[in-house]
Amino acid sequence: MTVRRSAAALTAALAAVTAVLGGAAPAAFADGTPSPVALPPGLYGTKDPQFDGVFRQSLAFLAQEKTNVKPAEQAIAWLAGQSCADGSFTSFRADTATACDPKKLDTNATAAAVQAFVAVGGHADAIKKGVSWLKSVQQDDGGWPYTPGMGGSDANSTAIVVGALAAAGEKPADVKSAKGGKTPFDALLTFALPCDDPAGPGAFAFQPDPKTQKLYANADATAAAVTGALGKGLTATAGPADAKGTACEKATTPEQAAHNGSAYLAKTLAPTGFLKSAMPGATDQPDFGNTADAVVALAAAGQTQQAKASADWLAKNAGAWAKENGPAAYAQLVFAADATGADPNNFGGLNLVTALNATGPAPQTAVTSTPSAQTSHSKDDDGISVWWIVGAGLVAGIGVGFLISGRKKNQRL
């Protein structure tokens, strides 16, 4: 989670088109373009927040909680002020005096905010209302889409909601759809590829192909679904060692599906240590955000050896990426470091805690850390893992910028 995958990081501009395609893809700028909206005080990052403001703020809080840092009251108040009347969140509300647009309600932002409020403490009403809204938009299959009413459930959204439910003290297995009585785990199992799938044995798909219903292995969706199937959230910690190794087995339970998904990730990461991302027209290149999400998933599922190996790769190579992409990127690296027992104060020479804190208002409290080789950072730009599911023709026609989530619906990763 998811991100991460998200993870495994929906634009209003794409809403009508992606509804026709049966999917949704969030986006965010990452080219240094000045924000077209005034950046509100209290917000982390300097780039346009309209596609990921709530999400990056929430990830920042979660990472700070991991490192014993309490965000500034101004920052917490900003996130609380983004809530809609019914407890849901959109990606960003420039004018909080205006009622939320139902077409822009965002399950991912809401689920991330719920987890963030649990992390910072207090805000019981916001947590309760957020969870209540998430339950109200659960689909018949037990899962969630990115935007309610626009497309079917997807693995990434369902997984991040599981994390929110668990963080809030709910039992995800008891949260059932009004029609059919399906749970989030039932939904996640429908995205799991069988062991005899030649392209991705044991992996998860983002969602079925809207035309053929075929499942295509998706590394980012797999990372999110593994943590979700284990009933864990964005900041999942290491689980007991998986004695089954990387063998794939027929999955009839969430735990079995999580094992298969983590085995797929371990095999995929083994040759290089990182996942690859190919943007349209570009050659394959490392996908730092999705790799960080995969590290958390592997650690949570007990694939300790590969989790540590990929965390080491991130420590050596992800510094420039994090600096460019800002708070959410730093947060993802904090999650990866924490899940594998690495030191976020010295992650390949980079002090992730100091760097993250510098992207927002000065926190109330901060840990005392050993200075590292790279502790001086100005307020950086925001970023999040690449989740995008729009077809190549749509991407070419619309030309969206950096995409938040890593969701490639019909592509094998």
Side-chain angles (χ1 to χ4, degrees):
M1 197 142 336
T2 218
V3 151
R4 99 190 335 154
R5 228 95 195 288
S6 316
L10 178 67
T11 72
L14 292 179
V17 180
T18 52
V20 174
L21 295 180
F29 299 120
D31 60 358
T33 303
S35 172
V37 297
L39 289 172
L43 175 66
Y44 281 70
T46 59
K47 291 182 180 174
D48 191 334
Q50 65 177 309
F51 301 120
D52 76 331
V54 168
F55 204 91
R56 78 195 195 207
Q57 192 88 344
S58 298
L59 262 63
F61 290 179
L62 288 165
Q64 288 177 321
E65 188 273 337
K66 282 287 187 184
T67 56
N68 300 316
V69 174
K70 188 168 181 62
E73 289 289 355
Q74 182 185 44
I76 299 173
W78 180 86
L79 184 60
Q82 287 288 302
S83 178
C84 303
D86 59 4
S88 64
F89 283 77
T90 63
S91 298
F92 172 70
R93 297 173 65 195
D95 181 7
T96 56
T98 302
C100 293
D101 182 347
K103 295 181 181 179
K104 295 181 179 180
L105 300 184
D106 180 342
T107 60
N108 288 229
T110 303
V114 166
Q115 294 179 66
F117 284 132
V118 172
V120 300
H123 300 278
D125 186 57
I127 295 169
K128 181 178 179 180
K129 290 177 69 176
V131 168
S132 178
W133 179 79
L134 288 169
K135 289 181 177 180
S136 75
V137 295
Q138 185 179 22
Q139 304 217 128
D140 292 346
D141 63 359
W144 284 264
Y146 189 92
T147 299
M150 297 182 65
S153 299
D154 66 76
N156 297 68
S157 298
T158 300
I160 195 172
V161 172
V162 167
L165 295 172
E170 299 276 345
K171 294 182 178 179
D174 293 339
V175 178
K176 300 179 179 180
S177 59
K179 182 179 179 181
K182 298 292 186 180
T183 74
F185 299 127
D186 291 326
L188 287 174
L189 283 171
T190 67
F191 305 124
L193 277 69
C195 293
D196 60 1
D197 188 291
F204 285 81
F206 170 71
Q207 62 181 185
D209 182 281
K211 293 182 179 180
T212 67
Q213 295 304 298
K214 181 175 175 58
L215 299 176
Y216 292 97
N218 181 298
D220 182 58
T222 301
V226 166
T227 54
L230 293 172
K232 298 183 178 183
L234 291 166
T235 61
T237 54
D242 188 346
K244 299 176 183 178
T246 56
C248 191
E249 60 182 8
K250 183 177 181 180
T252 59
T253 68
E255 293 78 13
Q256 290 170 331
H259 160 75
N260 288 348
S262 66
Y264 167 80
L265 288 174
K267 292 176 182 177
T268 303
L269 285 161
T272 61
F274 60 86
L275 297 176
K276 295 179 181 179
S277 173
M279 296 295 286
T283 57
D284 287 353
Q285 54 190 308
D287 189 327
F288 298 96
N290 285 349
T291 300
D293 292 342
V295 166
V296 174
L298 288 169
Q303 297 282 356
T304 307
Q305 183 175 355
Q306 187 58 57
K308 290 184 176 179
S310 291
D312 288 343
W313 181 88
L314 286 169
K316 295 176 182 177
N317 297 282
W321 166 79
K323 184 175 182 180
E324 165 64 20
N325 291 292
Y330 286 126
Q332 287 178 285
L333 294 182
V334 168
F335 301 156
D338 177 77
T340 56
D343 183 4
N345 295 298
N346 186 8
F347 193 66
L350 172 62
N351 190 321
L352 298 173
V353 182
T354 299
L356 172 61
N357 291 344
T359 67
Q364 298 180 54
T365 57
V367 295
T368 301
S369 58
T370 302
S372 70
Q374 301 180 48
T375 58
S376 178
H377 294 267
S378 60
K379 189 177 176 76
D380 292 316
D381 295 328
D382 60 281
I384 190 166
S385 62
V386 180
W387 293 351
W388 57 282
I389 63 169
V390 188
L394 178 60
V395 173
I398 297 178
V400 292
F402 180 75
L403 298 174
I404 292 181
S405 86
R407 306 172 174 181
K408 295 183 179 178
K409 182 174 64 178
N410 296 323
Q411 300 182 33
R412 298 178 179 87
L413 294 180

